[in-house]
Amino acid sequence: MSRIQTVFDQLKQQGRKALIPFITAGDPNPQLTVPLMHALVEGGADLIELGVPFSDPMADGPTIQRASERALAHKVRLRDVLEMVAEFRKSDTNTPVVLMGYGNPIEAMGWDKFSERCAEVGVDGVLTVDFPPEESSEAFSQLTKHQLDPIFLLAPTSAQERVEAVVKAARGFIYYVSLRGVTGAANLDLVDVAGKVAAIRGQTSLPVGVGFGVRDAATAKAVAAIADAVVVGSRTVQEIENSGEQNAVANVKKLIAELRAAIDS
Amino acid sequence: MQKYDFPDAQGHFGQFGGIYMAETLIPAVDELRRQYLHFRDDPDFKAEFAHELKHYVGRPSPIYHAKRLSEHLGGAQIYLKREDLNHTGAHKINNAIGQALLAKRMGKKRVIAETGAGMHGVATATVAARFGMECVVYMGAEDVQRQAPNVFRMKLLGATVVPVESGSRTLKDACNEAIRDWVTNCDNTFYIFGTAAGPHPYPMMVRDFQCVIGNEAKVQMPDMIGRQPDVVIACVGGGSNAIGMFYPYISEESVQLIGVEAGGHGIASGQHAAPLTANAKIGVLHGNKVYLMQDEDGQIIETHSISAGLDYPGVGPEHCLLKDIHRAQYVAINDDEAIGGFDALCRFEGIIPALESSHALAHAMKIAPTMGKEQAILVNLSGRGDKDMNTVARIKGITL
């Protein structure tokens, strides 16, 4: 059984919801990424989304754009991100890691080589924002060949038949984008999200995570009430940005602990 | 040659093209594709498009025999397809009108656009004013500097110009920002994309709207010289003016097609915007799979060209295919050579060309002397050079 499924099964038995923070690999510098990943787990993360920096992050708002720029200023490459996961796995063999980013760095490495290396270092799932299922046949076959979960997005604009098509291709969990916009955008509409999540659940037994727009403990708690997982991206990255390199690890751990407490309360 | 019929229903030109977009925008491009396929064959739509091109743009654009320049070069006769004489001064208006008419039928009251040199931004601001739509244009902060007159024109036309400070602060970053706007406002906003690239249906739709260039030329050339030209040349950034000229000629196998990319400081310098000429690897950016300037890790690299309109790391998917099947040839002209083409047209013919079009012209000047005097080269003079006065003055060390 995959690590992702194991974690969601355990949470379900415990009647708890998953907390999935996102950080960009290499932000604020490459040395801090693995300590930050451990801090996320210590704070109470169930699964980590690790962003692969890209020069043209079209689906991201200013906060995650800046994280990508900071990482690229340190010349962090996809192969370095994979090494970071290998380092993380030396002391954490349980927490699932999902790589999230854009397709081109993977295309440049080749899906076969990338998938093989992901399996070796202990990556569990891959989400490429700009590769919808229609364009993912090679990605899908290489990822699944190496027991990696291809994770796909659904959005407020996705109609019923689109939901059906996407859930068929997805593994691990469904990432529901809570609003029309880029990461870190305006406040989400919880009633609307609840309706959409229910509609997705009607089509799949996969867990449904909700992200884009979870800004604080209150929204995290509210989202946890209607979804299986809460994804916290821009807010986590913002904490790193505001903390400076000295305090980033401690502050991020504290933030995640607060969100964890809110979700479990 | 086998029957040429691209793209397929999913927008693929061979291995190129496709729909590489975030999920939120997939329904938007899907709806756009359905609406375009419906209206493209609608008699009212076709009639209104033709009427606008004739009465608002001023089509057909003439073909002009550049006699003095041809005599000076001592070889093939050079003919110019005068897209510079269109309303707003470039070929961009053909596509902007087509997409605005579609936006109107889709009930979209707000249009957005990206722009490099500013010609597509001006064309979009123009049609937005013409049809009473709100208009926001994204433009790299560096391009806002080097194309100041066009920024002023857009503002006069009522558009909001947003300088984009991220990344390399040029055309690709303007595209990123326009996509971010679209993902946020897709319900009420139509993205008037400026070149024959991006997610399906844009490469096909922009090509179709720009094909008026080649379709006219195919009638005009036999009228002028009794036959089609031997060579057709156009500059290629994203490649919309080139595909508009080339596409109707693809089936005319005797006509050689040459796309001219921006060689910048030279291909060997690495500072250029010529993915096809420099044999860039295939990659994915802005919704499509194309030849793309990138580093070993798949990060998009910064490009360089004297002309903002060609300063883009990718190229439309159909040009990638035409290169692979050897139906068109792609070459690069560097900054200095483009200035040579610019100067020559000013002095020999009294026509000030856009720096983009000067690349096509410079290549024509390179090959004309190697050809016979009875041979004919047709150059797509895609735009006029008024917008480039500041750039050219700076290069020549002149303060205006």
Side-chain angles (χ1 to χ4, degrees):
Chain A
M1 201 191 299
S2 79
R3 277 192 203 98
I4 295 175
Q5 198 186 334
T6 304
V7 163
F8 276 106
D9 284 354
Q10 284 169 356
L11 287 167
K12 197 172 183 183
Q13 282 168 15
Q14 298 160 4
R16 298 168 69 227
K17 299 300 174 71
L19 171 58
I20 309 180
F22 167 100
I23 58 171
T24 298
D27 171 38
N29 68 55
Q31 291 72 40
L32 277 183
T33 299
V34 175
L36 278 168
M37 291 170 78
H38 288 306
L40 296 173
V41 177
E42 287 159 21
D46 300 295
L47 187 155
I48 294 171
E49 269 189 7
L50 189 60
V52 178
F54 183 51
S55 53
D56 295 78
M58 281 155 284
D60 285 302
T63 303
I64 294 179
Q65 285 177 45
R66 287 194 298 271
S68 237
E69 283 175 16
R70 285 192 293 270
L72 290 175
H74 288 287
K75 306 208 183 318
V76 173
R77 302 161 299 178
L78 178 54
R79 70 187 88 156
D80 302 319
V81 178
L82 292 165
E83 289 311 310
M84 291 171 191
V85 178
E87 183 65 28
F88 173 76
R89 278 276 171 259
K90 285 181 183 169
S91 48
D92 187 327
T93 53
N94 296 323
T95 310
V97 174
V98 170
L99 294 188
M100 181 166 178
Y102 298 79
N104 202 53
I106 303 174
E107 285 273 317
M109 182 181 277
W111 283 96
D112 49 351
K113 192 177 158 201
F114 168 75
S115 303
E116 189 182 334
R117 191 74 192 121
C118 277
E120 283 168 10
V121 301
V123 168
D124 302 284
V126 176
L127 197 174
T128 37
V129 178
D130 54 348
F131 275 51
E134 293 86 340
E135 303 288 0
S136 297
S137 59
E138 195 205 345
F140 187 88
S141 65
Q142 289 296 335
L143 291 172
T144 50
K145 181 179 155 190
H146 291 94
Q147 283 79 50
L148 300 161
D149 288 331
I151 291 162
F152 290 105
L153 301 170
L154 279 169
T157 51
S158 310
Q160 176 75 13
E161 59 271 31
R162 181 76 194 159
V163 172
E164 284 173 29
V166 172
V167 299
K168 255 182 227 160
R171 301 283 185 278
F173 66 96
I174 300 290
Y175 186 139
Y176 179 67
V177 174
S178 65
L179 46 83
R180 290 166 171 78
V182 292
T183 53
N187 294 327
L188 47 79
D189 178 344
L190 285 165
V191 175
D192 186 58
V193 173
K196 273 288 187 180
V197 169
I200 295 167
R201 279 190 176 137
Q203 300 294 327
T204 180
S205 55
L206 287 174
V208 181
V210 171
F212 282 44
V214 180
R215 325 171 71 93
D216 52 26
T219 43
K221 181 177 163 64
V223 168
I226 53 178
D228 301 301
V230 184
V231 186
V232 187
S234 294
R235 179 65 190 91
T236 313
V237 170
Q238 186 188 44
E239 192 66 27
I240 293 171
E241 185 171 53
N242 293 346
S243 298
E245 302 191 0
Q246 287 287 321
N247 303 317
V249 173
N251 289 0
V252 162
K253 184 176 166 181
K254 185 161 165 275
L255 169 73
I256 299 303
E258 284 166 18
L259 296 170
R260 175 85 264 167
I263 289 169
D264 291 345
S265 68
Chain B
M1 187 174 159
Q2 286 180 320
K3 190 174 171 343
Y4 182 93
D5 186 17
F6 296 98
D8 67 14
Q10 288 74 44
H12 295 112
F13 297 82
Q15 63 178 319
F16 305 102
I19 302 173
Y20 292 86
M21 292 301 273
E23 183 61 32
T24 311
L25 283 174
I26 295 283
V29 292
D30 201 42
E31 174 67 6
L32 178 62
R33 178 182 54 79
R34 273 185 283 126
Q35 296 283 350
Y36 174 63
L37 290 177
H38 170 73
F39 284 112
R40 141 178 112 161
D41 301 319
D42 175 60
D44 285 347
F45 182 85
K46 285 160 73 174
E48 192 177 358
F49 184 48
H51 184 272
E52 291 294 323
L53 290 180
K54 182 177 178 188
H55 296 280
Y56 191 63
V57 178
R59 304 202 70 92
S61 66
I63 287 182
Y64 170 74
H65 182 193
K67 265 192 203 145
R68 284 194 68 225
L69 180 62
S70 304
E71 273 167 29
H72 168 72
L73 295 167
Q77 302 305 305
I78 295 177
Y79 294 84
L80 307 175
K81 177 64 172 163
R82 299 292 307 275
E83 291 299 299
D84 62 314
L85 293 177
N86 291 342
H87 178 43
T88 73
H91 72 290
K92 292 291 187 189
I93 190 83
N94 303 326
N95 168 54
I97 293 232
Q99 292 196 41
L101 291 177
L102 189 56
K104 199 174 80 171
R105 279 163 175 75
M106 290 172 69
K108 309 282 187 185
K109 302 262 189 271
R110 179 176 181 267
V111 296
I112 57 171
E114 82 297 335
T115 197
M119 297 313 279
H120 175 58
V122 168
T124 303
T126 298
V127 298
R130 165 80 181 78
F131 297 110
M133 294 162 171
E134 183 193 346
C135 178
V136 177
V137 178
Y138 292 93
M139 189 169 188
E142 181 170 332
D143 293 335
V144 168
Q145 292 284 320
R146 57 180 170 174
Q147 304 287 344
N150 268 347
V151 175
F152 187 57
R153 290 170 79 193
M154 286 183 265
K155 288 180 178 169
L156 287 176
L157 292 160
T160 303
V161 180
V162 181
V164 177
E165 300 282 354
S166 58
S168 57
R169 306 159 85 233
T170 59
L171 180 53
K172 82 172 171 70
D173 310 286
C175 281
N176 293 340
E177 209 55 36
I179 290 169
R180 290 180 189 121
D181 181 314
W182 199 28
V183 81
T184 309
N185 301 299
C186 52
D187 285 347
N188 72 342
T189 297
F190 190 105
Y191 184 3
I192 299 191
F193 197 63
T195 195
H200 182 60
Y202 283 106
M204 170 180 77
M205 180 169 70
V206 175
R207 173 195 75 194
D208 294 350
F209 289 143
Q210 291 293 2
C211 270
V212 65
I213 302 171
N215 286 332
E216 285 175 4
K218 271 181 85 171
V219 175
Q220 290 166 315
M221 286 308 293
D223 280 353
M224 286 187 83
I225 64 168
R227 61 187 180 87
Q228 298 298 346
D230 300 282
V231 181
V232 170
I233 302 180
C235 65
V236 176
S240 70
N241 89 81
I243 203 67
M245 177 62 105
F246 289 178
Y247 188 71
Y249 275 108
I250 286 174
S251 55
E252 299 276 332
E253 290 180 45
S254 64
V255 178
Q256 191 187 350
L257 307 175
I258 304 177
V260 184
E261 296 188 298
H265 296 316
I267 297 295
S269 74
Q271 293 180 302
H272 57 80
L276 295 173
T277 312
N279 295 314
K281 276 176 64 176
I282 294 170
V284 171
L285 182 70
H286 296 147
N288 57 178
K289 185 176 270 192
V290 294
Y291 287 114
L292 186 61
M293 290 178 58
Q294 53 186 310
D295 69 13
E296 234 185 311
D297 189 47
Q299 307 295 341
I300 312 309
I301 54 180
E302 292 189 12
T303 53
H304 166 79
S305 171
I306 192 177
S307 87
L310 302 182
D311 208 349
Y312 183 71
V315 59
E318 193 156 16
H319 288 294
C320 300
L321 176 68
L322 290 174
K323 180 194 171 178
D324 278 12
I325 64 173
H326 306 292
R327 180 59 190 93
Q329 177 195 348
Y330 294 87
V331 299
I333 283 290
N334 67 28
D335 290 350
D336 294 344
E337 294 171 313
I339 289 288
F342 177 92
D343 285 340
L345 202 67
C346 289
R347 297 299 179 88
F348 282 101
E349 301 292 348
I351 297 170
I352 302 177
L355 284 174
E356 290 76 15
S357 322
S358 299
H359 286 72
L361 200 68
H363 188 69
M365 289 167 60
K366 213 182 232 185
I367 63 169
T370 69
M371 296 166 66
K373 286 185 176 169
E374 72 296 346
Q375 292 189 288
I377 300 173
L378 175 61
V379 175
N380 195 19
L381 196 68
S382 55
R384 69 183 185 213
D386 307 46
K387 70 186 172 60
D388 294 314
M389 292 300 98
N390 290 340
T391 305
V392 175
R394 198 175 61 241
I395 287 162
K396 295 178 183 292
I398 297 161
T399 310
L400 293 180

